[in-house]
Amino acid sequence: DNTCIGIGLYTAEDEGFYIEVLPETSPLLPEVLQMLADPNITKIYHNSTYDLNVLKQLAKEHGQPAPDCINVQDTALMAHVQGIPANLYHLGTEYLHYEDMGDIQLLLLEHNAKTMLGVPFEQVAIKCLNDCRATYNILPVLHKLWPNEANQRCYEVKRLLIPLLRSMVQNGIQLNQDRLHEHYDNYSKEAFMYEDS
């Protein structure tokens, strides 16, 4: 479910804010969406293609500009390129030694809820802010872990592709079915040849 129920923001190592969207909408939401659309502010996401699509839909619903997708950093992408498990819980506990990351599935089970809307507001806000804190604070750690310059360049190329990937996730891609079947047949024959030898 891509329904946005809140937005967490960390503006410093130990300063965060939770802006409620559902069930009640914070009057600060328009300002937050405008800030996220500002190309002069660097935004740090963990799995930016997902977040940006959710935020784009939210901005559209509230008559605000779409979020900026150029001046972003993506800690999930950065970890993935480095060969580190990109799971935020893992990054927070393993590299930042946080003991309060929490687990969404456990929260849902604890409150017998199907979605986070069934979890008390305070617990949703705390979970969101713990994730934001980990995302904000893992970025400098990941910057120190680059194994080599080639990995850094690979990340930069992938980061620049975020707008394209976001569009593909949202719109899908069109495949030429005839070419797809042709490639499938060719690769199947080639695989069979290797199996036979």
Side-chain angles (χ1 to χ4, degrees), residues 58-177:
L58 182 66
K60 184 178 178 183
E61 290 168 7
H62 289 270
Q64 297 296 323
D68 167 49
C69 58
I70 305 297
N71 189 6
V72 301
Q73 296 291 325
D74 188 324
T75 55
L77 186 60
M78 190 178 285
H80 180 74
V81 168
Q82 293 184 35
I84 298 169
N87 176 284
L88 188 57
Y89 180 87
H90 171 80
L91 293 170
T93 55
E94 194 70 26
Y95 292 90
L96 300 170
H97 310 292
Y98 292 160
E99 296 178 0
D100 57 356
M101 289 294 294
D103 182 290
I104 288 177
Q105 295 306 319
L106 290 177
L107 271 176
L108 293 172
L109 281 172
E110 182 182 328
H111 296 283
N112 197 25
K114 292 184 179 181
T115 71
M116 290 296 278
L117 285 170
V119 176
F121 167 82
E122 295 79 15
Q123 291 184 26
V124 172
I126 288 169
K127 170 62 179 143
C128 179
L129 287 172
N130 283 339
D131 287 354
C132 292
R133 177 188 56 164
T135 301
Y136 186 93
N137 289 316
I138 198 66
L139 183 71
V141 173
L142 291 172
H143 272 302
K144 292 177 185 172
L145 295 176
W146 288 116
N148 55 54
E149 198 175 308
N151 281 81
Q152 276 184 285
R153 285 195 310 271
C154 180
Y155 167 72
E156 282 305 316
V157 168
K158 288 185 174 230
R159 189 182 68 76
L160 293 173
L161 290 173
I162 288 171
L164 175 64
L165 295 173
R166 196 187 103 232
S167 176
M168 288 169 61
V169 165
Q170 189 170 8
N171 301 322
I173 57 173
Q174 185 174 6
L175 298 175
N176 180 322
Q177 293 298 316

Side-chain angles (χ1 to χ4, degrees), residues 1-9 18-26 29 32-33 36 45 50-62 67 115-117 121 124 128 132:
D1 185 0
N2 292 345
T3 303
C4 181
I5 62 172
I7 299 173
L9 303 168
Y18 181 77
I19 310 303
E20 188 176 20
V21 175
L22 290 175
E24 300 294 324
T25 302
S26 168
L29 182 62
V32 169
L33 291 172
L36 293 172
Y45 295 100
Y50 175 82
D51 291 341
L52 287 166
N53 279 333
V54 170
L55 291 169
K56 181 180 180 185
Q57 180 60 38
L58 182 66
K60 184 178 178 183
E61 290 168 7
H62 289 270
T115 71
M116 290 296 278
L117 285 170
F121 167 82
V124 172
C128 179
C132 292

